[in-house]
Amino acid sequence: MSKDLPDPNDGEEAATSPAKRQKLAHHHHRRPRAPPRVFAPFRVHPSPCLISSTSVPFTSLPLGRTTFQITTSVGRCLHTYDLRRGLNLVFITRPQTPTPITATVAWKEKVLAAWAGGGTNGVWIFQRGRQVGELEMPIDLEEPIEELIMFGAWIVARCVTRIEVWKSASYEHYTTITPTLSHAPAARNTLSGGVCNMPTFLNKVLVGKQDGSVDIWNVSTGKLVYTMLPATLTSGAVTSLQPTPALSVVAIARADGTITIQDIRTDKAIMKPNTHSNITSISFRTDGQGAGEDGQQAGIMATSGTDSGDVTLWDLNKGGRVVGVLHGAHDPPSPKQGGVSGGINRVEFLAGQDVMITSGMDNALKSWIFDANSLSAVPRTLHSRSGHAAPVTKLCFMPANSEDADDTGKWILSAGRDQSLWGWSLRKDGQSSELSQGPVRKKARKLGLLGKSLEVDNSVSLDELKAPEITCFSCSLNRDGGMGAAPSAGAVWANAATKKGTTDTSDSGTTGWESIVTGHRGDKYARTWFWGRKRAGRWAFETADGMEVSSVAVSPCGTFAVVASAGGSISMFNLQSGILRQRFPAPLNQSQAKKLKLQSASGEAHTSRFGAGEGKHRKAVTGLIIDPLNRTVISCGLDGKIKFWDYHTGALKDEIDWSPTAIAITAAQHCKASDLIALSCDDLAIRVVDAETKKLVRELWGCAGPISDFCFSADGRWIVAAAMDSVVRVWDLPTSHLINAFRVESPCTALAFSDTGEYLATAHADSVGVNLWNNRTLFTHVPTRMIKDDEIIEATLPTTSGEGGQALLEASFEEGPEEESEDEENMPAEDTPASIDAISKDLLSLSLVPKARWQTLLHLPTIKARNKPSEPPKAPEKAPFFLPSLSNPGQPATNGVQQAPETTNNNNSTLSRISRPPFSSSTRSQFTILLHDFATSSSSTPSSQPPNPEPVLTHLSTLSPSATDVEIRSLANLHEMTSFIRALTLRLRQKRDYELVQTWMSVFLRAHAGEIVAAQGKEEGEGQDEMQGLRAALHEWREEQGREGKRLGELVGYCSGVLAWLRSAR
């Protein structure tokens, strides 16, 4: 729903003081899920954003002796990474599972994925990213599968209260095992986190239970073999089971933090190391190294849990001892309410390798390597893949660093609730990375936030060490130095105002400086970042009133940063030197204060509308904009005012006041193409203001919840907005119509439109990924009629596998949906364009013939000359004995080469083609037949109704360049030539197929110009009527061509002048 305002010239009051509209109850009508009309789901940007974003542990698979493949779950599909390629993404499974994946296991080049939800479940089998099979599921199974293992001829799944067994050869269900009742009444027969098989025990599986006991079952007979009881009743549930390299020995972890290394043949504990933490994953090193005094013995065990980000390494020789702790392998869980999840869900030593793999709840996958002959038992990082650990809150496409840059619209900048800032590449996943915040742990020790070292005291949360959550950012790459930018020798994020001494900016002056400025929640400092070096910058800009940063902006030139606060202050800093350059409003100096005091004493009025030093916002500033020419700074705030400041003096030049209507402005966006400012307000409306005239030009209504984010399209024609009602809406600014609206599964918290107009990027409240949508208007016709609230459709979000999405090439060949065709048929006749020819008689259209085809026709003689063989083919000296002779009996053999027939002089062969009678050939081509029909219709049609050249030229446009050249050269007489020229003239008059008409005429003149000139010299009465008709057709063509060429030249000159003027304005 939208509202058009009266003409701004009708009155200042109506133009600048919008009425606050009463909120109405919105009744949403659910519609079937369908792709939106304007945007088509493309994909979730996969590898960088989603690594291991669920609690499902990874699974590994060895590929011979060369590499390992690591498979992680990202919701409803699997990602497979190759270790030898540096954990590069190699496979994404398709199709997606119907519900989220709950367990995975890899076995013999196949990956099994169990899924459950909505009362249904299943197990799918994938190979190289494609589904190749499915397990037969029991009819009565309603529990989710929590763990999968495969050994021998069996596939075993652990559910909540039962165990399911399948045959691995046929994938058919074999049996269901129900464990015995537990001795603890509260636990009953509930299974806990642990199931494994022993390598030397045939058909046996160990299952951990909630009461701490471990059952040994024979899956072939379905009988219970033995039950291993815990040492005490307070041990808690079994949290992990893992067989050791030693035969018949298993490691059992329980909820009280104890680990029991137990011999299952004698049911006796060999050792009981105590970790005092919840252990959920155990792994043993199998390369025979790492233990002992010299590190050359076997016996290393690694343990980890979900309550910390540490990995503990144990030497099981001589009773077991801790030999090292890998602190901070992954981020620990946040202690704050609703904080970022963390911890490690799986640790695993690769078979026979000195490499360890870990995955965490922080959406990270890492590989670690143990250096040979190292004095430290702690490994170092080998590879790492990670992404946002919490939902994304801010998005933007990085601007181009120069005109016509090839990376325009190919980088996304995102900030999330995990206090991180990421740059995502849409071209190559390996280029994506997090912008470093510097040596966080080292900085924390210097600031006294930790004890002697983090290795001793790991109780401090990483939330306290990183910069606070980013709430706003701005960037400009015009001064970014890339990887060659001068690094900072001192600490990151220093306050230049309190820094002693002068700042040396000679290096940054030649190599560039920071290009990104961010504001943070609850922080009075705005921080700078190097985009090229992907690291924190040198400066932290403090707000003038010491209150939280509420909005930031970087000038288009990339030299200045403007920072606004929640108290209404606005300050401008130099990004190169970090020095404060201006305040808005500019503070009064001594002479100005004295002059103002004298004016007040004498009662003199101000000569200007706003006095010096006046105009500060009374509430938080929610939007900052700097015009492209660095002349004006525009600010808006919760006080309902839009202020226009002089960029150089800091004086207030103009103001739009909406405070009488109690409207608070929550955000602002600027469109450089049209110089329009869009402002979201607390009454759920988006208002558009012309920055040049300071007039309100549009009000866009329809959001049923607070507006979370909005943006302009690349050409400034649309405004795309997301609200907390989970609906994304698109308004057409020229008509002020709501032209598209679709509801997604979760509220959209941030969105951005690429500068190229190709993609819309969205982030959602329950996902750490960035969703990409294709702009369908680039490759197909999309109806832009106004829609109503009951036409909001249910849209499916893009998927990580790209399933159900549309790429540009695929969607360009897609036929429009039937719903759109019906809508267009039901539209009034005056609103529906009949065809492209009826849109405007002044349009000049080109053909749909590929450019290469008509260009080949134009240069066909050159191509033939270039491809002509240098010498004629030679006959073989002697044909092979197995080839029959082609010569007749009695004639000499020709060695397989046919002799060309002798040419005889025929009187008819010397006649010119022009003197032949019209259409006298007995074997005419389809082109000649159509040309004859056109000539017949020309003679029988009145002059007021010109004949239709469509059949002739349409057929000619379908021919290949060589066939077209032959047809044009085969025009036999003046009558055919005249008809052909008139057909081209009519098509030129219709302003269609301009480039094809020019090409065909060029080929015609090149082929027949000599014949036409020769025909003019014949005697009187011999073909003069046909010659006069041809001459008239050529004169008519020349007039029409001159008229159309002149009009086209004027239009091109006008457009060139406009572009030159726009470029000079920059």
Side-chain angles (χ1 to χ4, degrees), residues 253-400:
R254 293 183 171 87
D256 62 349
T258 60
I259 300 177
T260 303
I261 309 298
Q262 190 157 343
D263 189 336
I264 63 175
R265 293 179 301 178
T266 61
D267 193 14
K268 292 184 179 180
I270 300 177
M271 64 181 68
K272 293 183 179 180
N274 196 343
T275 63
H276 302 288
S277 63
N278 186 20
I279 299 300
T280 57
S281 181
I282 302 174
S283 183
F284 293 91
R285 187 171 174 179
T286 57
D287 64 339
Q289 301 292 322
E293 297 296 335
D294 56 354
Q296 303 297 318
Q297 300 180 20
I300 291 294
M301 178 181 69
T303 61
S304 64
T306 57
D307 58 351
S308 71
D310 303 337
V311 177
T312 304
L313 301 173
W314 302 78
D315 185 352
L316 300 182
N317 298 290
K318 298 181 181 180
R321 62 186 179 90
V322 177
V323 295
V325 178
L326 180 59
H327 289 287
H330 293 266
D331 292 345
S334 175
K336 300 179 181 178
Q337 185 69 20
V340 180
S341 60
I344 300 175
N345 56 17
R346 184 175 178 83
V347 58
E348 179 182 343
F349 284 100
L350 297 181
Q353 305 293 324
D354 55 353
V355 176
M356 181 178 68
I357 306 294
T358 60
S359 66
M361 303 294 290
D362 58 349
N363 191 26
L365 177 68
K366 299 181 180 180
S367 63
W368 311 82
I369 187 169
F370 294 83
D371 292 326
N373 302 322
S374 175
L375 299 178
S376 174
V378 179
R380 60 178 175 85
T381 305
L382 182 60
H383 307 109
S384 176
R385 298 300 297 266
S386 59
H388 280 292
V392 177
T393 56
K394 299 295 292 185
L395 278 176
C396 82
F397 279 87
M398 293 298 295

Side-chain angles (χ1 to χ4, degrees), residues 833-852:
S835 65
I836 192 172
D837 302 329
I839 293 178
S840 174
K841 61 181 180 180
D842 295 329
L843 285 178
L844 176 65
S845 64
L846 303 180
S847 68
L848 298 180
V849 176
K851 181 180 179 181

Side-chain angles (χ1 to χ4, degrees), residues 610-659:
F610 305 99
E614 297 180 355
K616 179 184 176 182
H617 284 278
R618 301 302 178 186
K619 294 183 179 180
V621 178
T622 55
L624 283 174
I625 297 168
I626 304 176
D627 75 319
L629 300 180
N630 285 1
R631 295 182 301 183
T632 305
V633 175
I634 306 170
S635 64
C636 62
L638 295 179
D639 55 0
K641 296 182 179 181
I642 308 169
K643 299 179 181 291
F644 299 83
W645 309 87
D646 187 276
Y647 182 87
H648 302 284
T649 64
L652 182 62
K653 300 191 299 183
D654 208 339
E655 177 184 278
I656 300 176
D657 190 2
W658 292 345
S659 58

Side-chain angles (χ1 to χ4, degrees), residues 183-232:
H183 59 80
R188 295 188 178 182
N189 62 339
T190 304
L191 305 179
S192 61
V195 60
C196 71
N197 71 292
M198 302 301 295
T200 58
F201 283 66
L202 185 64
N203 301 331
K204 305 301 187 299
V205 62
L206 279 67
V207 182
K209 299 175 64 176
Q210 196 70 27
D211 61 350
S213 62
V214 178
D215 288 346
I216 304 177
W217 291 85
N218 188 319
V219 296
S220 178
T221 62
K223 294 182 179 180
L224 178 64
V225 178
Y226 188 76
T227 299
M228 296 184 293
L229 299 178
T232 62

Side-chain angles (χ1 to χ4, degrees), residues 990-1010:
Q990 293 174 353
K991 298 181 175 60
R992 293 180 54 191
D993 303 341
Y994 184 79
E995 83 284 11
L996 274 185
V997 171
Q998 302 299 320
T999 303
W1000 290 334
M1001 194 63 184
S1002 176
V1003 174
F1004 171 80
L1005 294 177
R1006 184 172 58 201
H1008 299 288

